[in-house]
Amino acid sequence: MTPLPTRLTRGRWLLYALAALLAVLVYFFDLDGQHIPKNGDEYPYEHIARMTAASGHLLPLQSELDDMRNTKPPMLFWQGIASTNWGADWTLWHLRYPSVIYTLLTALMVFLLATRLARDPGKGFLGALAFLAFFSTYRFGRPFLTNPPEVFWLFLPLFILLYWGRAAFASRSLPLLLGAVIGVGLLYKSFALLLPIGLCLALWYLAQRQYRLGPFLRKDLWKLAVIAVVALAAFSLWFALDPQPQEIWREFVLKENAGKFDPHSSSGYLSKLLWGTSSFWVLVLGYPLNAGLLAFPVIGLMIGALRQRHTLSDAEKLLWIWVLVLLVVFSLPSQRSARYLLAAMPAIAVLGALGWQRISRAWFVLSLVIVAVAVAGLAYLSVRLQAAMPGEALYPLLTWLLYGATILLALAAMARPALTRIGSCVAVLLVFLSLAAFLRPFDGALGQYPQETQRRLAGAEVWVPYDFNAKYELYRFLLPGATIRGYVEEREENIAELASTYPIFAVRVPLATESGERCEVIGQRLDLRGRQTDAEIKAILHGKVLENLFLKELLMECPAATTPAPRP
């Protein structure tokens, strides 16, 4: 039964518009920060984009990393080359802003689709806000990664079919467009994505035929074939245009894609499928994990959909097909990660909007409790850091007001049922803003090297630490103009050994550390330690924050150093 259209009052329009503006602000705020939530893959992607731009050619892709030149198709790197004007504007802002645009366009599709299906713009706003409040969207939807365009281009054909309904499914020309759209997505990520999106579309077309196989084979199978052929033809342009297609086959097809089926374990494929941190059961938790602070409402949504599966609308059933197809397909490789399920999160957001009132309020209250605890944790860390650096005014009054306002909103949304659902999304967005405010000292003046130091090192060779592939790329933003060389970071660095090896080097040490070496400290900055060990995480939980989380980085010049050589 088609729902009656719902009109919003001026007050609710204003409320939703302000929430949407807040979301846009959150996603652009501190976009050029070194410490925004992200994935380490951003570093090698930056490296490849920079090297390729420097070559003056779009293909072949360039890299100094072993077997990491054709790690992904070229579209992301071409995007980075275009947004930075062939590297002339080499900043994190220029690399990342297209990702935010992709993410906001996906949120717009969620809004339009939820509004269309529910005939209620309020549901549309709730869906878009929920999508932007998913932590996976915030973490992967802003950095220079393949995920924002992947999510957009894979959701676009589903949006088209559901938004225009029967007319879209019956169209004889639309498959060409859908194939081209999917092809762009493949050029961002992998030809392997054709399997889940193709299987989903096949099931959608079959559902339109009431699961009658005969009409489906006669009237729709050719459409799927056209979509597949056009999408693969678009992806094949990479092979056709690249002067070294054999390297694409070796690095991308065999290593990057086929290699994911190697269990990399003596226990074998089946054992890894059923047990361990990369098992199917862990992947099942991927959707609530991707939702972050909205994990409990997503769990409630999934439980409710299972219980009420016979009363779901046709559109809801189709969206759940996409969610399940991605889960099944990405359980097949030996490498399983919640990140592989990101393309389903817009569908989860639409489903949440359509079934918002069916989700028990208790699930939202649980999320609001975690919101309050998370902000209290940020406030505690802010106090500890400020106490460790009494001579610096790290956090302005506005930061503390933001912390307080977020906690107050969470408490109000717990107390007032009418505010609980929308308040949950807004409160989570305020948590993201609070996190960015907490990180400002690390990305502001204290987290940068002075201009004088940058000018002094222009053209000089500087050795910097890294603990992830190509992580030294971040120093090209910190020390523009310097020649950056990387050395593998150890947890307890021996400054004397570094001083005898590298004429100019950066070293990360605890806040209270003095260099004690016969070197000149030519710069220092505030930093955070990432990739903590289990022991370090336990120590942080026991209050040893300063020793395991906050660092300072010293930039040292030691003219007496011997000729530097890369460390293993």
Side-chain angles (χ1 to χ4, degrees), residues 130 133-136 284-303 345 348 356 359 362-364 366-368 370-371 424 428:
F134 291 155
F135 184 68
S136 63
V284 170
L285 298 175
Y287 290 121
L289 289 176
N290 282 336
L293 294 174
L294 290 179
F296 288 110
V298 167
I299 291 173
L301 173 69
M302 297 170 74
I303 293 174
M345 298 314 292
I348 293 287
W356 213 245
I359 303 173
W363 294 112
F364 292 93
L366 285 172
S367 284
L368 289 165
I370 298 176
V371 163
S424 298
V428 171

Side-chain angles (χ1 to χ4, degrees), residues 547-558:
E547 301 88 339
N548 296 280
L549 186 59
F550 303 134
L551 299 168
K552 67 179 177 181
E553 184 174 86
L554 303 176
L555 194 57
M556 310 181 77
E557 185 172 13
C558 306

Side-chain angles (χ1 to χ4, degrees), residues 7 66 114 296 301 304 315 330 367-368 492 541:
R7 292 185 177 181
D66 293 337
F296 288 110
L301 173 69
F330 285 110
S367 284
L368 289 165
E492 300 295 333
L541 293 176

Side-chain angles (χ1 to χ4, degrees), residues 27 98-108 131-132 137 141-142 148:
Y27 271 74
S99 295
V100 176
I101 291 174
Y102 266 124
T103 298
L104 295 178
L105 287 175
T106 304
L108 177 61
F131 174 69
L132 295 173
T137 308
R142 301 170 74 220

Side-chain angles (χ1 to χ4, degrees), residues 31-92:
L31 186 60
D32 59 348
Q34 295 280 359
H35 298 88
I36 70 169
K38 58 182 181 292
N39 181 273
D41 287 343
E42 185 180 44
Y43 302 120
Y45 294 166
E46 290 169 354
H47 175 83
I48 296 170
R50 180 181 60 82
M51 294 289 294
T52 305
S55 74
H57 302 281
L58 294 176
L59 289 172
L61 300 176
Q62 301 293 321
S63 172
E64 294 176 344
L65 303 172
D66 293 337
D67 291 329
M68 289 196 72
R69 182 162 63 91
N70 294 305
T71 184
K72 286 293 181 290
M75 192 64 80
L76 176 69
F77 311 115
W78 293 348
Q79 173 189 301
I81 291 171
S83 66
T84 62
N85 188 23
W86 285 87
D89 301 316
W90 193 252
T91 67
L92 286 172

Side-chain angles (χ1 to χ4, degrees), residues 61-297:
L61 300 176
Q62 301 293 321
S63 172
E64 294 176 344
L65 303 172
D66 293 337
D67 291 329
M68 289 196 72
R69 182 162 63 91
N70 294 305
T71 184
K72 286 293 181 290
M75 192 64 80
L76 176 69
F77 311 115
W78 293 348
Q79 173 189 301
I81 291 171
S83 66
T84 62
N85 188 23
W86 285 87
D89 301 316
W90 193 252
T91 67
L92 286 172
W93 171 272
H94 284 90
L95 281 170
R96 290 171 174 169
Y97 79 80
S99 295
V100 176
I101 291 174
Y102 266 124
T103 298
L104 295 178
L105 287 175
T106 304
L108 177 61
M109 285 195 291
V110 171
F111 166 78
L112 293 173
L113 185 57
T115 298
R116 175 87 165 197
L117 296 176
R119 304 189 72 186
D120 180 356
K123 295 289 183 67
F125 276 113
L126 285 171
L129 292 173
F131 174 69
L132 295 173
F134 291 155
F135 184 68
S136 63
T137 308
Y138 186 67
R139 178 186 177 189
F140 296 106
R142 301 170 74 220
F144 182 60
L145 296 170
T146 59
N147 303 111
E150 169 200 355
V151 172
F152 173 84
W153 290 107
L154 289 191
F155 189 62
L156 181 56
L158 307 183
F159 166 81
I160 291 171
L161 288 172
L162 278 182
Y163 192 86
W164 280 279
R166 292 181 180 274
F169 280 101
S171 173
R172 300 176 66 86
S173 58
L174 184 61
L176 284 171
L177 173 62
L178 298 184
V181 164
I182 294 170
V184 176
L186 303 189
L187 276 171
Y188 267 105
K189 191 64 175 281
S190 173
F191 64 92
L193 291 178
L194 184 59
L195 176 58
I197 189 65
L199 179 57
C200 176
L201 291 178
L203 291 173
W204 279 28
Y205 274 99
L206 184 60
Q208 290 298 304
R209 300 295 177 186
Q210 308 299 320
Y211 294 97
R212 294 175 297 166
L213 190 58
F216 166 75
L217 294 176
R218 292 194 304 271
K219 299 180 179 181
D220 298 320
L221 186 60
W222 71 268
K223 299 176 185 177
L224 297 170
V226 169
I227 292 171
V229 168
V230 172
L232 288 176
F235 180 81
S236 298
L237 291 174
W238 184 19
F239 284 85
L241 298 176
D242 197 295
Q244 299 174 337
Q246 69 280 2
E247 291 300 305
I248 300 175
W249 179 263
R250 182 182 66 84
E251 292 180 66
F252 183 73
V253 177
L254 297 181
K255 183 175 180 291
E256 178 72 13
N257 286 269
K260 285 185 167 56
F261 288 86
D262 185 347
H264 300 288
S265 170
S266 58
S267 58
Y269 175 87
L270 186 60
S271 176
K272 195 169 183 179
L273 173 67
L274 298 177
W275 308 104
T277 57
S278 189
S279 68
F280 171 77
W281 312 112
V282 173
L283 189 65
V284 170
L285 298 175
Y287 290 121
L289 289 176
N290 282 336
L293 294 174
L294 290 179
F296 288 110

